[in-house]
Amino acid sequence: MNITLRQSRIFEAVAETGSITRAAESLHLTQPAVSMQLRKLEHEVGMPLIESHGRRIHLTHAGEEMLRYCRRLNRTVREAGAVFERLREPGHGQLHLAVASTVNYFATELIASFHRRYPDIQIRMDVTNREALLGMLEEYEHDLILMGQPPDSPELEAIPFMDNPLVVIAAAAHPLAGRRRIPMKRLIEEPFVLRECGSGTRMALEKLFTRKGIRLSAQMEMNSNEAIKQAVMAGLGLGVVSMHTVRMERESGKLVVLDAAGFPIRRKWYLVHRRDRYLSRAAEEFKQYLLDYVRNEQGAGSREGAGPALPGTHTAGRA
Ligand code: PGA
């Protein structure tokens, strides 16, 4: 079969945008140039690869197959590009990260500091929940992923880099605020504002409740830590979030962490990448920077004797 890398890139862009016009725009080509390459590709395989329904384009079965191969080809070419980029200059290139929504709070500070050191590395970061990150690990798109416990797989390299305690938060005026060792039975009498299914935070909480024989009844769900904090401050109920997400609200006295039995749930954050995906120089630099950054932060913390002040560590769960 005789297909060109140009056709491969064009086909992936058409499949991804669902439109010849948008594919042409994204590749800085004209529409007729894109259509012509598509026709040549169809001629080469001897069957249609796309069909149009109104203005939107859909892939035929052969088109789906073609997309798989084009993605693989394009990725290999990008990887080759990254290898040569790495051979050229340190401190340059692109970095594509994906982080769990709870990690975002830590990641932004880290990236600001990394950017000061490597201003010429372009960074793109996707922020999403655990379930979506697991999908991303399958897709080879990202250089590095920062997330909760990844699946146990020989294909993944996973380095734990920081504790991620999950705590129960309440509005400062909540009747349980300031109470010592709140039993779980008492805790669950309160309404909860929970993260969505698919979130690592939610998964860890469900694991804890299942272990204790408690069923989570239908409660309020939100897919953002910020929304949960706002809801809790507005008195809608209690929330369970990562300790890292509530630093400012605790300092300003708007939210409190409850001293609740079973909490904090002890989770960790991991730096994850696929072993069979080439790590660009920029990604290597970021990986090393993150590990040094965490080591320095932890060193500073222990020198100042400033471990995070966690109430209720007596019956901490593990997830
Ligand atoms: P989440 O992930 O943002 O999906 O809750 C955090 C985690 O897995 O601990």
Side-chain angles (χ1 to χ4, degrees):
M1 197 164 89
N2 186 16
I3 87 165
T4 66
L5 291 174
R6 187 158 189 246
Q7 287 165 349
S8 172
R9 265 197 304 274
I10 288 177
F11 189 70
E12 186 177 356
V14 170
E16 251 150 36
T17 58
S19 140
I20 291 183
T21 316
R22 279 200 296 274
E25 274 166 17
S26 73
L27 296 169
H28 307 291
L29 295 171
T30 63
Q31 234 173 289
V34 169
S35 302
M36 188 178 75
Q37 293 302 330
L38 268 180
R39 272 200 305 278
K40 281 191 175 167
L41 199 53
E42 289 186 323
H43 181 74
E44 189 58 36
V45 293
M47 60 189 114
L49 298 172
I50 58 170
E51 51 196 16
S52 354
H53 297 299
R55 302 183 66 173
R56 180 109 196 138
I57 276 172
H58 290 274
L59 299 187
T60 59
H61 181 60
E64 299 279 356
E65 288 297 321
M66 178 58 83
L67 179 59
R68 269 188 332 119
Y69 287 102
C70 288
R71 279 193 172 138
R72 223 185 272 171
L73 277 173
N74 299 340
R75 192 171 66 233
T76 307
V77 173
R78 276 200 303 274
E79 281 190 12
V83 169
F84 293 110
E85 181 188 291
R86 180 179 186 163
L87 290 177
R88 278 199 300 270
E89 260 181 293
H92 284 75
Q94 291 178 343
L95 182 62
H96 196 180
L97 300 173
V99 307
S101 28
T102 51
V103 183
N104 184 27
Y105 290 78
F106 159 80
T108 333
E109 270 177 40
L110 168 75
I111 285 171
S113 164
F114 179 77
H115 179 67
R116 280 193 291 277
R117 168 95 158 264
Y118 296 105
D120 295 320
I121 295 184
Q122 281 177 22
I123 302 173
R124 225 175 97 200
M125 181 170 93
D126 294 315
V127 181
T128 185
N129 73 12
R130 176 183 177 79
E131 194 171 78
L133 291 172
L134 292 178
M136 288 173 176
L137 273 174
E138 296 295 314
E139 282 165 12
Y140 290 79
E141 276 300 313
H142 296 81
D143 295 301
L144 296 168
I145 295 192
L146 308 184
M147 63 184 299
Q149 173 102 44
D152 198 8
S153 157
E155 288 172 356
L156 300 179
E157 167 146 336
I159 306 173
F161 66 89
M162 195 178 264
D163 289 335
N164 173 29
L166 305 182
V167 291
V168 185
I169 53 166
H174 194 280
L176 290 180
R179 287 261 295 268
R180 301 280 299 153
R181 301 191 164 216
I182 304 159
M184 203 172 275
K185 257 170 74 183
R186 171 66 188 89
L187 198 67
I188 58 167
E189 286 170 12
E190 298 292 324
F192 273 84
V193 188
L194 295 180
R195 281 288 303 276
E196 77 287 5
C197 293
S199 128
T201 307
R202 172 72 174 261
M203 185 189 80
L205 181 67
E206 281 180 354
K207 251 191 191 168
L208 170 70
F209 279 7
T210 307
R211 228 174 20 238
K212 303 280 175 195
I214 298 169
R215 257 181 70 87
L216 271 180
S217 55
Q219 292 166 317
M220 224 171 299
E221 272 189 15
M222 299 189 183
N223 65 358
S224 116
N225 293 303
E226 282 306 305
I228 290 183
K229 290 191 293 183
Q230 293 297 334
V232 171
M233 284 190 269
L236 281 177
L238 303 178
V240 174
V241 292
S242 162
M243 183 74 144
H244 294 282
T245 65
V246 286
R247 200 179 68 200
M248 279 191 322
E249 291 78 3
R250 288 181 74 207
E251 280 169 10
S252 65
K254 290 182 179 154
L255 284 175
V256 293
V257 170
L258 295 186
D259 182 2
F263 291 88
I265 301 174
R266 300 199 174 277
R267 266 175 89 69
K268 281 191 186 299
W269 283 335
Y270 291 76
L271 170 81
V272 187
H273 61 86
R274 296 194 66 98
R275 288 185 202 279
D276 57 350
R277 186 190 192 284
Y278 168 77
L279 261 199
S280 68
R281 184 168 188 138
E284 290 278 14
E285 271 157 350
F286 185 82
K287 179 176 170 183
Q288 197 48 52
Y289 192 86
L290 179 144
L291 298 175
D292 291 345
Y293 182 89
V294 170
R295 210 171 298 125
N296 286 340
E297 292 274 297
Q298 282 165 351
S302 63
R303 275 194 301 282
E304 289 157 22
L310 292 180
T313 50
H314 49 286
T315 46
R318 209 162 269 282

